[in-house]
Amino acid sequence: AEYMGAFEVSEGMSSAAEVGPLLVKALDYFRNHPSEELTAEQFEERGLVFSQGLGVQLQKHDKFIYDQSKKTYKFCPRYRGLTNRDDIMKLLQNRNETAGIKLDELSESYTGVTADIEELKRDGQIILIENSRTETRVFEDSHLIHIDDRFKTQWSEIPLTDMIQKLEQHDLPVVNQLPKVLQRAETNKSKTNTKRQRNRTNTHLD
């Protein structure tokens, strides 16, 4: 057997370059249809290309279960058994750590999970936070720290330039719009100073 990237390729089997795109399409399909269990023939019926190499990789993949008796492939999400928003809340509430869970992994749990996540977010029961690795995590509201209003006031008084510098020192993400806000502020400041200078000049001439 020859190892190529993430694929173990045996003689007579499709190459990694051939199997890779098929595997990506299969994953995309099953993430949108997580409850389906398909045979090789049913792959073709749904517009997916099935090959011997793909079958081998699906049997090894940690997100698929292969039923030898039925010769079917079934998607196996990280969080199994979830069917509705109540299940999502129980999952979040029963976790011992406060690191949240990855949105990508939660989103492949069942059909309709995305709508349930949006409803929970809209109702204020969960919050989505994107970290510096552009990885979004889901948190249950009770795991969040509710900040005193006095602290919020003091925080809002910190100069934006100082805030950016501190965030960058600790390798924390800076909101993409912040530089634009600062740029607009500097532009407006410049315009104001120019206008004041003109006023002073005009007054002096008078």
Side-chain angles (χ1 to χ4, degrees):
E2 176 189 0
Y3 184 78
M4 297 181 64
F7 303 99
E8 185 179 322
V9 182
S10 302
E11 292 182 10
M13 192 174 75
S14 302
S15 69
E18 294 173 338
V19 175
L22 303 184
L23 181 59
V24 170
K25 289 182 179 178
L27 281 167
D28 287 343
Y29 178 84
F30 276 97
R31 281 174 177 140
N32 291 318
H33 307 82
S35 61
E36 289 201 16
E37 188 172 355
L38 306 181
T39 63
E41 293 75 15
Q42 289 172 324
F43 269 73
E44 303 289 343
E45 292 172 3
R46 285 157 178 76
L48 301 170
V49 177
F50 189 91
S51 69
Q52 178 188 359
L54 176 61
V56 171
Q57 294 306 321
L58 290 178
Q59 291 178 37
K60 295 177 180 179
H61 203 287
D62 60 359
K63 287 197 173 180
F64 282 91
I65 297 175
Y66 177 66
D67 188 322
Q68 181 67 43
S69 62
K70 297 189 292 184
K71 298 189 183 305
T72 56
Y73 300 86
K74 181 176 176 59
F75 188 64
C76 181
R78 169 75 181 276
Y79 302 106
R80 309 172 197 175
L82 304 183
T83 59
N84 53 50
R85 53 182 287 168
D86 291 336
D87 290 339
I88 295 175
M89 293 305 300
K90 288 177 184 176
L91 171 68
L92 290 168
Q93 291 164 356
N94 291 336
R95 293 178 68 81
N96 295 324
E97 30 49 46
T98 57
I101 61 178
K102 292 182 180 180
L103 177 62
D104 288 346
E105 293 178 341
L106 180 61
S107 296
E108 58 189 28
S109 300
Y110 62 90
T111 303
V113 64
T114 301
D116 286 343
I117 292 172
E118 286 300 319
E119 285 185 10
L120 290 170
K121 178 183 175 184
R122 188 165 53 249
D123 293 345
Q125 293 183 264
I126 64 172
I127 187 171
L128 307 184
I129 298 178
E130 184 177 313
N131 64 20
S132 57
R133 296 186 300 274
T134 66
E135 172 188 272
T136 303
R137 287 184 172 268
V138 183
F139 294 84
E140 194 260 329
D141 184 62
S142 65
H143 282 159
L144 302 177
I145 300 173
H146 295 278
I147 302 173
D148 185 87
D149 288 339
R150 289 175 298 175
F151 180 83
K152 293 179 182 179
T153 301
Q154 293 173 350
W155 177 265
S156 65
E157 293 173 351
I158 299 175
L160 292 177
T161 50
D162 293 350
M163 190 183 302
I164 291 175
Q165 186 178 19
K166 291 295 183 183
L167 289 171
E168 291 176 342
Q169 285 177 357
H170 295 281
D171 194 29
L172 294 172
V174 179
V175 179
N176 292 334
Q177 296 299 322
L178 202 49
K180 296 180 181 179
V181 172
L182 290 175
Q183 186 177 15
R184 287 198 298 270
E186 287 297 323
T187 301
N188 292 336
K189 181 179 178 181
S190 176
K191 289 180 178 178
T192 301
N193 289 339
T194 301
K195 184 177 180 181
R196 287 175 179 171
Q197 182 64 36
R198 287 175 180 169
N199 289 339
R200 285 199 296 269
T201 303
N202 291 337
T203 302
H204 176 71
L205 289 175
D206 290 341

